[in-house]
Amino acid sequence: MVQEKIQARNLIGEMRQKDELFDNHHFMVHSSRLAAAGFLPGDELLIDRKALPVPGAILLLELDGKLLLRRLGQQQHAWQLLPLHSGLASFEWPFYQPLPLVGVVKKILRTVAA
């Protein structure tokens, strides 16, 4: 009986660990336009799908079927979605509308040439 409870706890722990793995996914950077923001072609961004967006965070958004990276700013009545390079315009998103958030960028994985 005790052994069965220990095995059940271990199984639940393994299931939680597997669930946590699925809370994140990777996004590959293909454009050199993001170099000014510190992202290079070939970088892999670790996206946390459960993280709450806070001002200053870099977000991965899905808008009109396209994925966008934006830095989150805050105005008096709206979120400000700031581009990571000068070739794009910023835009506002009203607080009362949910952000089309895929996730928050948590880490950059970069391969270093030998």
Side-chain angles (χ1 to χ4, degrees), residues 44-85:
E44 213 172 327
L45 306 180
L46 180 65
I47 309 297
D48 186 342
R49 297 185 305 175
K50 286 192 172 183
L52 295 175
V54 295
I58 297 176
L59 310 180
L60 179 62
L61 305 162
E62 185 175 2
L63 194 61
D64 297 329
K66 295 181 182 178
L67 294 174
L68 306 171
L69 285 172
R70 292 289 190 272
R71 185 171 304 278
L72 185 63
Q74 188 174 352
Q75 298 255 323
Q76 187 175 3
H77 299 289
W79 294 114
Q80 184 134 24
L81 298 167
L82 307 166
L84 298 181
H85 65 85

Side-chain angles (χ1 to χ4, degrees), residues 6-22:
I6 291 171
Q7 288 175 346
R9 276 192 218 132
N10 290 341
L11 180 60
I12 290 169
E14 288 175 23
M15 290 169 60
R16 283 189 186 140
Q17 287 175 350
K18 288 179 183 176
D19 285 345
E20 288 171 9
L21 291 176
F22 292 113

